[in-house]
Protein backbone atom coordinates (compact mmCIF):
# COMPACT_ATOMS: atom_id res chain seq x y z
CA UNK A 1 0.00 0.00 0.00
CA UNK A 2 1.08 3.59 -0.38
CA UNK A 3 3.17 4.98 2.43
CA UNK A 4 3.04 8.65 3.42
CA UNK A 5 5.98 10.74 2.30
CA UNK A 6 8.12 12.59 4.82
CA UNK A 7 6.29 15.58 6.31
CA UNK A 8 3.15 14.75 4.31
CA UNK A 9 4.53 15.89 0.95
CA UNK A 10 4.44 13.68 -2.13
CA UNK A 11 7.40 13.38 -4.43
CA UNK A 12 6.76 14.78 -7.89
CA UNK A 13 8.13 12.11 -10.21
CA UNK A 14 9.05 12.54 -13.83
CA UNK A 15 5.98 13.00 -15.98
CA UNK A 16 4.73 9.95 -17.82
CA UNK A 17 4.35 11.01 -21.41
CA UNK A 18 2.08 9.11 -23.74
CA UNK A 19 3.83 7.60 -26.69
CA UNK A 20 2.53 7.82 -30.26
CA UNK A 21 0.56 4.73 -31.25
CA UNK A 22 3.15 3.61 -33.80
CA UNK A 23 5.94 3.79 -31.19
CA UNK A 24 3.86 1.94 -28.59
CA UNK A 25 3.19 -0.82 -31.13
CA UNK A 26 6.93 -1.53 -31.40
CA UNK A 27 7.78 -3.97 -28.55
CA UNK A 28 11.38 -2.70 -28.47
CA UNK A 29 10.27 0.90 -27.95
CA UNK A 30 9.81 2.08 -24.40
CA UNK A 31 9.57 5.81 -23.69
CA UNK A 32 12.46 6.33 -26.13
CA UNK A 33 14.92 4.72 -23.69
CA UNK A 34 16.33 2.51 -26.44
CA UNK A 35 17.58 5.59 -28.27
CA UNK A 36 19.62 6.92 -25.32
CA UNK A 37 23.27 6.00 -25.84
CA UNK A 38 24.88 7.64 -22.80
CA UNK A 39 24.59 5.15 -19.91
CA UNK A 40 24.47 7.97 -17.36
CA UNK A 41 21.55 9.60 -19.14
CA UNK A 42 19.89 6.20 -19.62
CA UNK A 43 20.19 5.39 -15.92
CA UNK A 44 18.85 8.80 -14.98
CA UNK A 45 15.81 8.64 -17.29
CA UNK A 46 15.07 4.99 -16.48
CA UNK A 47 15.21 5.83 -12.77
CA UNK A 48 12.85 8.77 -13.29
CA UNK A 49 10.41 6.48 -15.08
CA UNK A 50 10.69 3.83 -12.36
CA UNK A 51 9.85 6.40 -9.69
CA UNK A 52 7.00 7.77 -11.77
CA UNK A 53 5.50 4.32 -12.28
CA UNK A 54 5.80 3.54 -8.57
CA UNK A 55 4.12 6.81 -7.64
CA UNK A 56 1.39 6.19 -10.22
CA UNK A 57 0.84 2.69 -8.84
CA UNK A 58 0.61 3.92 -5.25
CA UNK A 59 -1.79 6.66 -6.24
CA UNK A 60 -4.02 4.38 -8.29
CA UNK A 61 -4.14 1.84 -5.43
CA UNK A 62 -5.37 4.61 -3.14
CA UNK A 63 -8.12 5.47 -5.62
CA UNK A 64 -9.04 1.79 -5.93
CA UNK A 65 -9.34 1.60 -2.15
CA UNK A 66 -11.51 4.71 -1.99
CA UNK A 67 -13.78 3.37 -4.72
CA UNK A 68 -14.03 0.01 -2.93
CA UNK A 69 -14.93 1.73 0.34
CA UNK A 70 -17.54 3.86 -1.39
CA UNK A 71 -19.05 0.86 -3.15
CA UNK A 72 -19.22 -1.07 0.14
CA UNK A 73 -20.71 1.84 2.11
CA UNK A 74 -23.69 0.44 4.04
CA UNK A 75 -25.53 3.76 3.53
CA UNK A 76 -25.72 3.11 -0.22
CA UNK A 77 -28.87 1.37 -1.38
CA UNK A 78 -26.81 -0.22 -4.16
CA UNK A 79 -23.82 -1.16 -2.03
CA UNK A 80 -21.69 -4.11 -3.07
CA UNK A 81 -20.44 -6.97 -0.98
CA UNK A 82 -16.68 -7.62 -0.73
CA UNK A 83 -17.26 -10.63 -3.02
CA UNK A 84 -18.89 -8.37 -5.64
CA UNK A 85 -16.06 -5.85 -5.39
CA UNK A 86 -13.49 -8.63 -5.63
CA UNK A 87 -15.11 -9.95 -8.79
CA UNK A 88 -15.20 -6.51 -10.44
CA UNK A 89 -11.58 -5.70 -9.56
CA UNK A 90 -10.26 -9.24 -10.12
CA UNK A 91 -9.14 -9.51 -6.49
CA UNK A 92 -9.64 -12.17 -3.86
CA UNK A 93 -12.44 -11.51 -1.40
CA UNK A 94 -9.93 -11.13 1.46
CA UNK A 95 -7.99 -8.52 -0.51
CA UNK A 96 -11.24 -6.68 -1.30
CA UNK A 97 -12.04 -6.53 2.42
CA UNK A 98 -8.57 -5.08 3.14
CA UNK A 99 -8.97 -2.54 0.35
CA UNK A 100 -12.38 -1.47 1.70
CA UNK A 101 -10.80 -0.88 5.12
CA UNK A 102 -7.84 0.95 3.58
CA UNK A 103 -10.25 3.12 1.62
CA UNK A 104 -12.27 3.88 4.74
CA UNK A 105 -9.07 4.92 6.51
CA UNK A 106 -8.17 7.22 3.61
CA UNK A 107 -11.64 8.74 3.61
CA UNK A 108 -11.50 9.33 7.37
CA UNK A 109 -8.10 11.03 7.07
CA UNK A 110 -9.26 13.30 4.30
CA UNK A 111 -12.95 14.04 4.56
CA UNK A 112 -13.07 15.17 0.93
CA UNK A 113 -12.88 11.63 -0.40
CA UNK A 114 -9.65 12.25 -2.31
CA UNK A 115 -6.40 10.69 -1.06
Amino acid sequence: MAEPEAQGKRMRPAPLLFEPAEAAADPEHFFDLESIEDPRELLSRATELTLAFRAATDRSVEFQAIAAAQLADPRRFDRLTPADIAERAQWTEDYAKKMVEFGRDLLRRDGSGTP
Side-chain angles (χ1 to χ4, degrees):
M1 302 286 169
E3 293 183 23
E5 294 291 329
Q7 300 175 350
K9 291 188 176 185
R10 291 187 184 273
M11 248 177 39
R12 300 301 276 168
L16 295 176
L17 305 175
F18 292 96
E19 298 185 282
E22 61 275 0
D26 178 2
E28 296 299 315
H29 185 84
F30 188 73
F31 288 89
D32 210 26
L33 293 178
E34 70 286 344
S35 69
I36 300 174
E37 294 184 19
D38 178 9
R40 288 178 185 91
E41 184 181 343
L42 178 59
L43 178 61
S44 176
R45 182 63 182 144
T47 301
E48 287 176 348
L49 284 170
T50 298
L51 294 173
F53 285 126
R54 285 179 188 159
T57 298
D58 289 347
R59 195 81 168 127
S60 63
V61 167
E62 290 174 348
F63 279 105
Q64 282 182 312
I66 287 171
Q70 290 171 335
L71 288 169
D73 188 338
R75 296 172 295 185
R76 290 177 62 110
F77 76 93
D78 61 344
R79 72 181 168 273
L80 299 178
T81 66
D84 293 331
I85 294 168
E87 184 178 337
R88 284 178 181 235
Q90 298 177 352
W91 297 333
T92 65
E93 189 171 345
D94 286 341
Y95 187 73
K97 290 175 185 176
K98 290 177 183 177
M99 288 295 279
V100 167
E101 283 308 310
F102 179 49
R104 287 178 179 156
D105 289 344
L106 290 171
L107 291 169
R108 273 192 290 271
R109 277 195 274 158
D110 180 34
S112 70
T114 305

